[in-house]
Amino acid sequence: ASGREFEVPKTVVQALEQIIHAFVKGEAVSIVPVNKELTTQDAAELLNISRQYLVRMLDRGDIPHHKVGTHRRIAFDDLMDYKRRRDRERDAGFDELAELSQELGLYE
């Protein structure tokens, strides 16, 4: 708008491409600072699960966390590591189910 020109780093362009791609697919996008700590409510919303279920997962040790007073805090990176692991396991389960269905002739 000001007419000023500047060079945009390649990493910024790549990030913008990913954001635009997500928007086109109708996905929500969040930009979170590095080292961000989330409340249990924020983390549960990101995983699309109830807060109580998330707390049980934290108590089992499924996701690393620490307490600030009586409140649990989850590092954004730890939450995303768990989400990626969960997504990989889910995708592997879907692949196995599809393969089994195909072996049983359910796709014919």
Side-chain angles (χ1 to χ4, degrees):
S2 68
R4 203 176 83 186
E5 290 186 21
F6 56 93
E7 190 170 323
V8 177
K10 185 176 182 176
T11 55
V12 173
V13 172
Q14 291 169 338
L16 289 173
E17 286 174 346
Q18 290 177 351
I19 291 168
I20 291 168
H21 184 69
F23 277 132
V24 168
K25 290 175 20 183
E27 297 174 352
V29 174
S30 295
I31 298 174
V32 180
V34 176
N35 299 325
K36 169 77 173 166
E37 290 189 340
L38 304 170
T39 65
T40 53
Q41 186 63 48
D42 292 337
E45 288 173 5
L46 276 170
L47 295 177
N48 199 28
I49 60 176
S50 73
R51 192 188 70 76
Q52 286 75 17
Y53 183 68
L54 175 73
V55 168
R56 286 195 300 266
M57 292 170 56
L58 297 176
D59 290 343
R60 284 194 313 253
D62 295 347
I63 303 170
H65 70 286
H66 68 278
K67 285 193 172 183
V68 176
T70 59
H71 301 282
R72 293 172 180 87
R73 293 290 182 260
I74 301 111
F76 180 77
D77 289 341
D78 290 337
L79 187 70
M80 291 299 101
D81 288 344
Y82 169 80
K83 185 178 182 313
R84 281 188 289 276
R85 202 170 52 247
R86 180 191 71 176
D87 291 348
R88 276 193 310 269
E89 290 170 2
R90 182 198 60 220
D91 291 346
F94 284 147
D95 291 344
E96 185 178 335
L97 183 60
E99 187 177 311
L100 182 60
S101 296
Q102 196 164 22
E103 287 174 12
L104 294 172
L106 299 177
Y107 283 129
E108 294 176 1

